[in-house]
Coordinates of all heavy atoms in Angstrom, one line a residue:
G2 N -59.8 14.8 -52.0 CA -60.5 16.1 -52.2 C -61.9 16.0 -51.6 O -62.4 15.0 -51.3
Y6 N -66.0 12.7 -50.8 CA -66.8 12.3 -49.6 C -68.0 11.5 -50.0 O -68.6 11.8 -51.1 CB -67.2 13.6 -48.8 CG -66.1 14.2 -48.0 CD1 -65.6 15.5 -48.4 CD2 -65.5 13.6 -46.9 CE1 -64.6 16.1 -47.7 CE2 -64.5 14.2 -46.2 CZ -64.0 15.4 -46.6 OH -63.0 16.0 -45.9
P10 N -77.5 10.8 -47.6 CA -78.9 11.0 -48.0 C -79.5 12.2 -47.3 O -79.3 12.3 -46.1 CB -79.5 9.7 -47.7 CG -78.6 8.9 -46.7 CD -77.3 9.6 -46.9
P13 N -86.3 14.5 -46.0 CA -87.2 15.7 -46.0 C -87.5 16.2 -44.6 O -87.5 15.5 -43.7 CB -88.5 15.2 -46.7 CG -88.5 13.7 -46.4 CD -87.0 13.3 -46.3
A18 N -96.1 22.5 -39.6 CA -96.8 22.5 -38.3 C -96.0 21.8 -37.2 O -96.0 22.3 -36.1 CB -98.2 21.8 -38.5
A31 N -87.5 28.4 -22.7 CA -86.3 29.3 -22.8 C -86.0 30.1 -21.5 O -84.9 30.6 -21.3 CB -86.5 30.3 -23.9
I36 N -87.4 26.3 -16.7 CA -86.6 25.1 -16.7 C -86.6 24.5 -15.3 O -86.7 23.3 -15.1 CB -85.1 25.5 -17.2 CG1 -85.1 25.8 -18.6 CG2 -84.2 24.3 -16.9 CD1 -83.8 26.4 -19.1
R47 N -96.5 18.9 -8.4 CA -96.5 19.9 -7.4 C -97.6 21.0 -7.6 O -98.0 21.2 -8.7 CB -95.1 20.7 -7.4 CG -93.9 19.9 -7.5 CD -93.4 19.5 -6.1 NE -92.4 18.4 -6.1 CZ -91.1 18.6 -6.0 NH1 -90.7 19.8 -5.8 NH2 -90.3 17.6 -6.0
V49 N -98.7 25.1 -6.7 CA -98.0 26.4 -6.8 C -97.2 26.7 -5.6 O -96.1 27.1 -5.7 CB -99.0 27.5 -7.2 CG1 -98.3 28.9 -7.1 CG2 -99.6 27.3 -8.6
E51 N -95.9 24.8 -3.4 CA -94.7 23.9 -3.3 C -93.6 24.5 -4.3 O -92.4 24.5 -3.9 CB -95.0 22.5 -3.7 CG -95.9 21.8 -2.6 CD -96.4 20.5 -3.0 OE1 -96.8 20.3 -4.2 OE2 -96.3 19.5 -2.2
L56 N -88.4 27.0 -5.2 CA -87.7 27.9 -6.1 C -87.4 29.3 -5.6 O -86.6 30.0 -6.1 CB -88.4 28.0 -7.5 CG -88.6 26.6 -8.2 CD1 -89.4 26.8 -9.5 CD2 -87.3 25.9 -8.4
I63 N -94.6 32.5 -10.5 CA -94.7 31.0 -10.7 C -96.0 30.8 -11.5 O -96.0 30.0 -12.5 CB -94.7 30.2 -9.4 CG1 -93.4 30.3 -8.7 CG2 -95.2 28.8 -9.6 CD1 -92.3 29.4 -9.3
V69 N -97.6 29.8 -19.2 CA -96.8 29.7 -20.4 C -96.6 28.2 -20.7 O -96.8 27.7 -21.8 CB -95.5 30.5 -20.4 CG1 -94.6 30.1 -21.6 CG2 -95.8 31.9 -20.3
L70 N -96.1 27.5 -19.7 CA -95.8 26.0 -19.9 C -97.1 25.2 -20.2 O -97.1 24.3 -21.0 CB -95.2 25.5 -18.6 CG -93.8 26.0 -18.3 CD1 -93.3 25.6 -16.9 CD2 -92.8 25.5 -19.4
V76 N -97.0 21.3 -19.4 CA -97.5 20.9 -18.1 C -99.0 20.8 -18.2 O -99.6 21.5 -19.1 CB -97.1 21.8 -17.0 CG1 -95.6 21.8 -16.8 CG2 -97.7 23.2 -17.0
N79 N -104.2 19.5 -12.6 CA -105.4 18.8 -12.2 C -105.9 19.4 -10.8 O -105.1 19.4 -9.9 CB -105.0 17.3 -12.0 CG -104.6 16.7 -13.3 OD1 -105.3 16.7 -14.3 ND2 -103.4 16.0 -13.3
G82 N -109.8 19.9 -5.1 CA -110.3 20.8 -4.1 C -109.9 22.3 -4.5 O -110.2 22.7 -5.6
E84 N -106.8 23.4 -4.7 CA -105.4 23.5 -5.3 C -105.4 22.8 -6.6 O -106.2 22.0 -6.9 CB -104.4 22.8 -4.4 CG -104.2 23.5 -3.0 CD -103.0 22.8 -2.3 OE1 -102.8 21.6 -2.4 OE2 -102.4 23.6 -1.5
V85 N -104.4 23.3 -7.4 CA -104.2 22.7 -8.7 C -102.8 22.0 -8.6 O -101.8 22.6 -8.2 CB -104.2 23.7 -9.9 CG1 -103.8 23.1 -11.2 CG2 -105.5 24.4 -9.9
Y87 N -99.8 20.4 -10.5 CA -99.2 20.5 -11.9 C -98.3 19.3 -12.1 O -97.6 18.9 -11.1 CB -98.5 21.8 -12.1 CG -99.4 23.0 -12.2 CD1 -99.8 23.7 -11.0 CD2 -100.0 23.3 -13.4 CE1 -100.6 24.8 -11.1 CE2 -100.9 24.4 -13.5 CZ -101.2 25.1 -12.3 OH -102.0 26.2 -12.4
A90 N -96.7 17.0 -18.9 CA -97.7 16.4 -19.8 C -97.0 15.2 -20.5 O -97.7 14.3 -21.0 CB -98.1 17.4 -20.8
H96 N -86.7 15.1 -20.6 CA -85.4 14.7 -21.1 C -84.7 15.9 -21.8 O -83.5 16.1 -21.7 CB -85.6 13.6 -22.1 CG -86.0 12.3 -21.4 ND1 -85.1 11.6 -20.5 CD2 -87.1 11.6 -21.4 CE1 -85.8 10.5 -20.1 NE2 -87.0 10.5 -20.6
V99 N -83.4 18.1 -18.9 CA -82.3 17.4 -18.2 C -81.0 17.4 -19.1 O -79.9 17.7 -18.6 CB -82.7 16.0 -17.8 CG1 -81.5 15.2 -17.3 CG2 -83.8 16.1 -16.7
A101 N -80.2 19.5 -21.5 CA -79.7 20.9 -21.7 C -79.0 21.3 -20.4 O -77.9 21.9 -20.5 CB -80.9 21.8 -22.0

Side-chain angles (χ1 to χ4, degrees):
Y6 287 109
I36 291 170
R47 308 276 166 102
V49 171
E51 291 172 317
L56 301 177
I63 291 288
V69 172
L70 292 169
V76 303
N79 297 308
E84 292 187 330
V85 177
Y87 290 92
H96 292 292
V99 168

